Amino acid sequence: MAGKRKIINDPVFGFISVPNEFLFDLLQHPFVQRLNRIRQLGLSFFVYPGAMHSRFLHSLGAMHLMQEAIYVLRQKGIDISHNEGNAAAAAILLHDIGHGPFSHVLENTLVRGIAHEDISLLMMQKINSDMQGRLTDAISIFRDEYPRRFLHQMISSQLDVDRLDYLCRDSFFCGVNEGTVAEARILKMLNVVDDRLVVEAKGIYSIEKFLVARRLMYWQVYLHKTSVAAEQMLQKILARAKHLASQGIELFASPALHYFLYNNIEAHNFSGDAEALRWYALLDDTDILSAIKVWSNHSDLVLSLLCTAFTNRRLFKVRMLQAPATDKEVTEMRDFYIDRLHITAEEAEYLFAYHSSVTNTYSAKDDSIDILYADGTIRDIADASDMLNLQVLTKTVEKHYLLYHKL
């Protein structure tokens, strides 16, 4: 960051400007700085070693794209006040603030009944309190309660600056060219009609490329079978550690991780005095990875076996299934580990998993991408596009996995 101009050099978009003290103060808040210690792509580095970029960098890039989008809309006569511009930029900067380390793994093991989006809102409300209410409009936009709905669409919709940044950024750091999108062209084609975000017809091909890139990135990066295997293995490790902690067995852990291991934390724990929120804000990737390294030498066979394998990238093996696993397949897998390792059925459960991934690239039911034609008519991209495979992208795809520790 350079002097009073507050310029940040971003490897994807070049020099990014932080235009005022309000946004700079947000960047400096400990909740936001914590995102520097959380990887954007979780365990994808096991597949793509370059995927080491942080959620802070993604949030910064999304804020930059929001500022670019607002500039374009103002040039087209859309009245967006200075305060609204600041609020929208703040909302996208903070949209991922509630992510924990390997967030979806954490939500299934150490924290239950509350999603990272809900924690993001709680953190934003805490910052708002610290800043004497200056985030009120940003929170309203984030929650889709602000009267001008197109501002929320730019944060969360089928075509938002969040997606534009993470596709560009993740493909860059992974070296996956298929994920590249023409984000500058898409932003130039944005407009607003009847308080709804639309894309001018000249940008239709860029939108088609965006949707195809999104599909390729999901199956090639986000849901890559090795990434799925690593996540499932980490879930088993944390579940085993949580079980041992519940038995009163002392485990090495940072104070923040210790809190979540030795307490049953659910949604209601984040309200009231919000002790859980304070500990959550101190939890990052380092807490988890350092604990796993130490647990590799723990006396518990299952925990040490999994942690040693995880640390040395001997991840769960993956077998693709045509359908969800049957009770018979589960029993056979459990019995295999019982016989080979002389462990209990309960312990054997930690050494394998069955998992299903479900995604659809585009669904007009969620929030359509609308194409604006010169005569003023508006059509959904799925109807406006003449690409045959765009109709395919609207279909839900489901894949089933058997993941197991190879002895």
Side-chain angles (χ1 to χ4, degrees), residues 86-100:
N86 265 352
I92 194 64
L93 176 65
L94 302 177
H95 77 287
D96 268 354
I97 197 172
H99 271 286

Side-chain angles (χ1 to χ4, degrees), residues 157-159 163 196 207-208 210-212 214-215 218 359-371 379-385 389-397:
S157 66
Q158 293 274 351
L159 180 66
R163 285 176 170 86
R196 187 166 186 81
I207 300 300
E208 291 173 344
F210 162 79
L211 291 173
V212 172
R214 190 174 170 212
R215 180 184 186 277
Y218 262 88
T359 185
N360 59 350
T361 303
Y362 176 71
S363 173
K365 294 178 181 178
D366 294 336
D367 197 354
S368 62
I369 298 177
D370 294 327
I371 305 300
R379 295 175 65 192
D380 180 89
I381 181 64
D383 299 324
S385 174
N389 63 350
L390 198 61
Q391 294 295 333
V392 176
L393 298 183
T394 64
K395 296 181 179 179
T396 298
V397 179

Side-chain angles (χ1 to χ4, degrees), residues 186-202:
I186 291 173
L187 293 178
K188 291 291 184 185
M189 294 298 107
L190 291 182
N191 210 327
V192 175
V193 175
D194 296 331
D195 195 33
R196 187 166 186 81
L197 200 65
V198 297
V199 180
E200 294 167 3
K202 291 182 291 184

Side-chain angles (χ1 to χ4, degrees), residues 117-150:
E117 293 89 351
D118 299 320
I119 299 177
S120 290
L121 179 58
L122 290 171
M123 286 185 158
M124 289 172 71
Q125 290 169 339
K126 177 65 171 66
I127 298 174
N128 193 36
S129 175
D130 295 343
M131 298 183 72
Q132 291 77 49
R134 295 174 68 193
L135 274 183
T136 299
D137 285 345
I139 292 173
S140 181
I141 293 171
F142 178 80
R143 300 182 69 176
D144 197 12
E145 295 176 348
Y146 196 75
R148 309 189 74 187
R149 189 170 186 271
F150 75 89

Side-chain angles (χ1 to χ4, degrees), residues 289-360:
L289 295 177
S290 60
I292 289 174
K293 188 168 65 173
V294 175
W295 294 344
S296 297
N297 296 313
H298 197 273
S299 58
D300 180 74
L301 173 64
V302 172
L303 184 64
S304 62
L305 189 68
L306 289 174
C307 290
T308 300
F310 183 89
T311 302
N312 296 307
R313 202 190 176 279
R314 296 200 298 273
L315 304 175
F316 280 167
K317 296 296 180 182
V318 182
R319 185 192 306 164
M320 303 301 296
L321 304 175
Q322 296 301 313
T326 64
D327 291 341
K328 180 175 181 293
E329 289 172 319
V330 172
T331 300
E332 288 176 350
M333 184 60 68
R334 185 191 301 117
D335 290 344
F336 170 78
Y337 289 111
I338 293 172
D339 294 340
R340 291 292 298 274
L341 295 176
H342 308 293
I343 57 179
T344 66
E346 182 263 338
E347 290 172 323
E349 292 284 348
Y350 293 99
L351 299 178
F352 68 97
Y354 290 93
H355 178 75
S356 296
S357 293
V358 181
T359 185
N360 59 350

Side-chain angles (χ1 to χ4, degrees), residues 32 137 176:
V32 179
D137 285 345
V176 178

Side-chain angles (χ1 to χ4, degrees), residues 4 100-101 113 184 188 211 233 261 282 301 355 369 402-404:
K4 295 182 179 179
K188 291 291 184 185
L211 291 173
M233 188 175 231
L261 282 176
L282 296 173
L301 173 64
H355 178 75
I369 298 177
L402 161 62
L403 309 110
Y404 59 95

